[in-house]
Amino acid sequence: MDEYWMHIAMEEALAAQKLGEVPIGAVIVQDGIIIGRGHNLRETTHNPAAHAEMIAIEEASRTLQAWRLLNCTLYVTLEPCPMCAGAIVQSRIPRVVFGTRDPKAGCAGTLMNLLQEPRFNHQTEVTAGILQEECSELLSAFFRRIRNQKAVLKQKQRQSPEAAEE
Amino acid sequence: MDEYWMHIAMEEALAAQKLGEVPIGAVIVQDGIIIGRGHNLRETTHNPAAHAEMIAIEEASRTLQAWRLLNCTLYVTLEPCPMCAGAIVQSRIPRVVFGTRDPKAGCAGTLMNLLQEPRFNHQTEVTAGILQEECSELLSAFFRRIRNQKAVLKQKQRQSPEAAEE
C-alpha cells in the first residue's frame, strides 16, 4: 500500500517538474483517503516555505479544520528538510514515508533525525526507501537536464555571444 | 536599534494574544524597513505552520518577490522552533534576533542550533536575549491567565455542574 501512495506523491512531483520546479511531491493520507497533497512551488511562488510537505500539511489542516493531523501518514518523494521535519513534528503526524534520502539537508535520519528527537514533544514513525530508485531518478534526470541546458547555452555563447542572448 | 524592532515584534505578539493565541510575534527588517511581519495564528487558522516567523517570511518573500531574503534581520519574541529555524535556513536570512529562550523546542541554541549547523548550506548570525524579560513575561502572563481561567471553571463545575456548562 505504501507504494501505491508513493506513486501518487510521484505524480505530484511530476506536476512540479512541469512548472520547472525541482520535482518533489507529497500526499497525506488518513483512513485510506487523501486529505492533502502538494508539490514544490518555491520558484513559482517565490516562497521559501513552499515545499511539497508544507503545502500538503496546510491542505490537510484545512480539510480536517485542525492543526493536529492525527492518524495520518505523510508520503514524500524526498527525505524532509529541517523546516518540513519541524512542521511534521508541529502537526503531530504519526507516520512519515519517504522515497529517497537527501544527503545535503535530510533531517529524517541522514544528517540528523528531527522526527525522532526525544526532547521534542512528538516523535514520528519513519519508513525510508519506498520507490527509492524511481524517486531518486526523477531528481537525477531533472538536474541532468538542467546541466545539459546550461552546457548548450554556454556553447552557444562561445560560438556567438549575441545569438545566445536572444 | 535591536530593541526598537523587538518592540514591534512584541506588538505583533499582542495582536496574537487578542485573538486568544499564544503571544509570539515577528518582524523582518531590510535596510531599516519592515518587509514582513506576523503573529502566531495556529488556533485561528487551524494551520500548524502558522507561526509568527513563517507568516513574516511569507510576507517578506511576497514583498521582495524572491525566496532568498538577503540582507534581512528577523526579530522574534521567542526562540525559533525546528520548523521556523528550518525556514530561516531555507530563506537564507543572515541574522536572527530573538527575545527569550524556549526550553521545550528552541532550536537556535537551546535544544540544538539549526541556525548554525555547519552541514547545512546556510548559517545565520544569532543574537539572543533582546528584551528577554518583557518577551518572557508576555508568555508567562498569558499562561497564568489560562491556568486561572481553568481553575475558575473547575471550581464552578464542582459547585454546580449544570451552571458551569452554561
Side-chain angles (χ1 to χ4, degrees):
Chain A
M1 206 59 196
D2 281 348
E3 292 197 3
Y4 174 81
W5 299 117
M6 190 61 84
H7 269 295
I8 299 180
M10 285 184 69
E11 282 173 23
E12 284 292 322
L14 289 169
Q17 184 170 277
K18 273 188 191 160
L19 299 168
E21 300 273 358
V22 179
I24 304 164
V27 286
I28 298 177
V29 178
Q30 189 188 54
D31 301 330
I33 293 167
I34 292 176
I35 60 164
R37 53 199 297 165
H39 51 267
N40 177 31
L41 285 173
R42 189 174 66 165
E43 303 295 339
T44 310
T45 61
H46 306 296
N47 182 357
H51 282 196
E53 301 96 312
M54 301 298 287
I55 295 165
I57 286 171
E58 205 175 320
E59 189 175 297
S61 302
R62 268 202 308 276
T63 305
L64 299 182
Q65 284 291 295
W67 60 261
R68 285 183 190 86
L69 303 182
L70 307 175
N71 308 316
C72 292
T73 300
L74 182 145
Y75 295 85
V76 57
T77 56
L78 181 68
E79 183 180 1
C81 77
M83 172 180 70
C84 294
I88 290 161
V89 172
Q90 287 293 343
S91 55
R92 316 284 196 266
I93 293 174
R95 184 168 178 244
V96 167
V97 180
F98 70 83
T100 192
R101 290 199 177 273
D102 182 355
K104 288 186 184 167
C107 284
T110 297
L111 294 189
M112 58 184 83
N113 194 342
L114 296 176
L115 297 183
Q116 296 176 329
E117 166 57 52
R119 293 171 298 172
F120 293 159
N121 63 355
H122 178 72
Q123 290 79 35
T124 299
E125 187 190 328
V126 178
T127 304
I130 301 293
L131 300 186
Q132 191 274 328
E133 277 181 40
E134 292 89 329
C135 290
S136 173
E137 178 53 26
L138 204 59
L139 287 162
S140 307
F142 176 81
F143 288 114
R144 221 165 25 234
R145 273 195 303 279
I146 297 276
R147 278 195 303 272
N148 288 345
Q149 282 166 2
K150 279 188 184 167
V152 167
L153 194 68
K154 266 194 178 171
Q155 203 170 19
K156 272 189 185 172
Q157 278 174 328
R158 263 198 301 268
Q159 286 168 350
S160 162
E162 284 146 32
E165 277 169 19
E166 277 169 20
Chain B
M1 206 58 197
D2 281 349
E3 292 198 1
Y4 174 81
W5 299 116
M6 190 61 83
H7 270 296
I8 300 179
M10 283 185 70
E11 282 172 22
E12 283 293 321
L14 288 170
Q17 185 170 277
K18 274 190 191 159
L19 299 168
E21 300 273 359
V22 179
I24 304 164
V27 285
I28 298 176
V29 178
Q30 189 188 54
D31 301 328
I33 294 166
I34 293 176
I35 60 165
R37 53 199 297 165
H39 51 267
N40 177 31
L41 286 173
R42 189 174 67 166
E43 303 294 339
T44 311
T45 61
H46 306 299
N47 181 356
H51 283 197
E53 302 96 310
M54 301 299 287
I55 294 166
I57 287 172
E58 206 174 320
E59 190 176 296
S61 303
R62 269 201 308 275
T63 305
L64 299 182
Q65 286 290 296
W67 59 262
R68 285 183 191 86
L69 303 181
L70 307 176
N71 308 316
C72 292
T73 300
L74 182 144
Y75 295 84
V76 58
T77 55
L78 181 68
E79 183 181 359
C81 77
M83 172 180 70
C84 294
I88 289 161
V89 173
Q90 287 294 343
S91 55
R92 315 285 196 266
I93 293 174
R95 183 168 180 244
V96 167
V97 180
F98 70 82
T100 193
R101 292 200 176 273
D102 182 355
K104 289 186 182 165
C107 283
T110 298
L111 294 189
M112 58 185 81
N113 194 343
L114 295 175
L115 296 183
Q116 295 175 330
E117 166 57 52
R119 293 171 297 173
F120 293 158
N121 63 354
H122 178 71
Q123 289 81 33
T124 299
E125 188 192 328
V126 179
T127 303
I130 301 294
L131 299 187
Q132 191 273 328
E133 277 181 38
E134 291 91 330
C135 291
S136 173
E137 178 53 25
L138 205 61
L139 288 162
S140 307
F142 177 81
F143 288 115
R144 223 166 22 234
R145 274 195 302 278
I146 298 274
R147 278 195 304 272
N148 288 345
Q149 282 166 2
K150 279 188 184 168
V152 167
L153 194 69
K154 265 194 179 173
Q155 204 171 16
K156 273 189 184 172
Q157 278 175 329
R158 263 197 302 268
Q159 286 168 349
S160 160
E162 284 147 30
E165 278 171 18
E166 278 169 18

